[in-house]
Amino acid sequence: MTKPQSQRIFDKIALIGIGLIGGSIALAARRGGLATTIVAATRSAETAATANRLKLVDHCGTDLAAACADADLVIVCTPVGACGEAARAIAPSLKPGCIVSDVGSVKQAVINAMQPHIPAGVHFVPAHPVAGTENSGPEAGFAELFDGRWTILTPLPGSDAAAVDKLDAFWKGLGSLTERLDPADHDRILAITSHLPHLIAYTIVGTADDLAGHLNSEVLRFAAGGFRDFTRIAASDPTMWRDVFLNNREAVLEVLARFQEDLFYLQRAIRWGEGDKLFDLFTRTREIRRALIHLNQA
Ligand code: NAP
């Protein structure tokens, strides 16, 4: 794993939202010495108090615009559905030359929601760290979250190249590997690699719970292996994931349709005892797992 660079890139960073991702950015930025001052603002006084008690940032308040005054980098770390409103709230206090970014798990919808509010002279560079856990809130943040994980930058046509490079360097400083993608490509790729797996996990755990009720059985007591792994994913934040599905609707519905076709293929193979079809698929998928391990992303 590459060791993060350690150097100051920004004078002042402001984080809007300080949960798992905002908190982890704060801790990793401090670890890397990437900024002189790191402040945050969040919706509730309670979360702000927790962030201050944990000393995640130099100061956390609830006035989003005030936090952004004089900031060189502002990262919106709220659920996807709140990004547009956050951009509207902070717009009046953004200084010329400031870079505004986000961490949303969906890119095109966030761009559509935030871009209209970004003032002229401010550089908007959307991004998404492909790293996370099922935990949320400021207490869930940790400095190593992004180490060796990908962060995808989705610059817009006409994005200032120096601003994009600076944000890229920042994410490398947080420990990430970086890549640049078109926002629509990002949304299609994440629909299959992240969004659909979460939908499947939510479904399986819900179905098992319903079944357990009908059978009056103790599903949880025998939750070894596969099911237990699904319960971890299905414990992910309900607000965040509701927003992901509502904001990446088309790409998710497209991969869901393909997934359902493939599931019917397996259903038929099981019904007709076509073991070779099952064996061939399971052999192919085992290779994919091995390739992931080889790429250090397992
Ligand atoms: P989180 O732990 O739930 O934290 C969300 C933060 O946003 C909290 O500080 C919350 O404030 C604040 N917030 C919520 N609604 C707000 C609003 N309307 N206005 C202002 N602040 C608001 O969430 P997270 O896991 O860090 O996720 C944040 C973003 O990162 C999401 O867009 C998600 O798609 C993306 N992301 C998540 C993961 C992951 O695995 N979790 C991975 C990559 C990217 P209060 O607590 O004060 O209400």
Side-chain angles (χ1 to χ4, degrees):
M1 198 174 290
T2 44
K3 208 167 179 304
Q5 309 156 358
S6 206
Q7 63 179 70
R8 192 168 69 82
I9 300 175
F10 295 102
D11 193 20
K12 177 178 170 183
I13 298 177
L15 302 168
I16 303 303
I18 185 101
L20 168 70
I21 301 296
S24 298
I25 291 175
L27 292 170
R30 186 164 293 149
R31 177 189 68 175
L34 305 182
T36 313
T37 307
I38 308 174
V39 300
T42 187
R43 179 176 52 175
S44 72
E46 194 187 341
T47 298
T50 307
N52 286 321
R53 174 173 56 76
L54 297 172
K55 298 188 171 32
L56 293 179
V57 289
D58 296 307
H59 176 71
C60 184
T62 55
D63 187 333
L64 310 192
C68 297
D70 291 325
D72 306 289
L73 171 66
V74 175
I75 307 183
V76 175
C77 306
T78 65
V80 163
C83 288
E85 178 52 28
R88 193 197 59 74
I90 64 176
S93 63
L94 297 172
K95 75 173 182 187
C98 167
I99 298 173
V100 173
S101 188
D102 76 300
V103 291
S105 307
V106 175
K107 295 282 40 105
Q108 194 58 61
V110 168
I111 292 167
N112 294 347
M114 288 181 68
Q115 198 176 21
H117 302 292
I118 306 294
V122 169
H123 308 299
F124 180 39
V125 188
H128 173 212
V130 189
T133 73
E134 68 279 20
N135 302 318
S136 51
E139 282 167 320
F142 59 103
E144 299 78 21
L145 178 63
F146 310 112
D147 288 351
R149 301 280 162 219
W150 288 100
T151 292
I152 300 171
L153 275 61
T154 60
L156 307 169
S159 280
D160 180 74
V164 178
D165 288 345
K166 216 167 165 184
L167 189 71
D168 194 302
F170 176 75
W171 276 103
K172 287 199 172 89
L174 296 179
S176 267
L177 308 164
T178 60
E179 184 57 270
R180 297 178 192 188
L181 280 180
D182 171 76
D185 288 345
H186 167 280
D187 290 352
R188 276 194 292 268
I189 292 167
L190 271 289
I192 180 68
T193 58
S194 170
H195 306 170
L196 184 63
H198 276 81
L199 198 66
I200 293 168
Y202 284 125
T203 312
I204 287 185
V205 175
T207 305
D209 189 46
D210 290 345
L211 214 58
H214 290 143
L215 299 176
N216 204 12
S217 72
E218 297 177 78
V219 168
L220 287 183
R221 197 145 70 92
F222 305 115
F227 183 70
R228 191 170 46 201
D229 293 343
F230 280 116
T231 62
R232 184 185 61 73
I233 300 174
S236 300
D237 190 71
T239 305
M240 169 187 159
W241 283 97
R242 176 203 61 197
D243 285 8
V244 166
F245 292 116
L246 294 183
N247 286 280
N248 199 20
R249 185 180 291 141
E250 280 174 29
V252 169
L253 291 178
E254 192 183 313
V255 294
L256 194 55
R258 292 188 61 140
F259 175 75
Q260 281 169 327
E261 279 176 26
D262 293 343
L263 203 57
F264 283 132
Y265 172 83
L266 288 187
Q267 190 178 11
R268 197 182 150 80
I270 294 168
R271 184 180 305 285
W272 294 102
E274 296 169 335
D276 52 337
K277 286 188 175 160
L278 301 176
F279 188 84
D280 287 351
L281 178 68
F282 300 166
T283 305
R284 183 153 65 93
T285 55
R286 182 182 239 189
E287 287 308 314
I288 293 168
R289 171 72 187 174
R290 288 180 177 154
L292 267 186
I293 292 170
H294 184 67
L295 289 170
N296 245 334
Q297 297 293 318

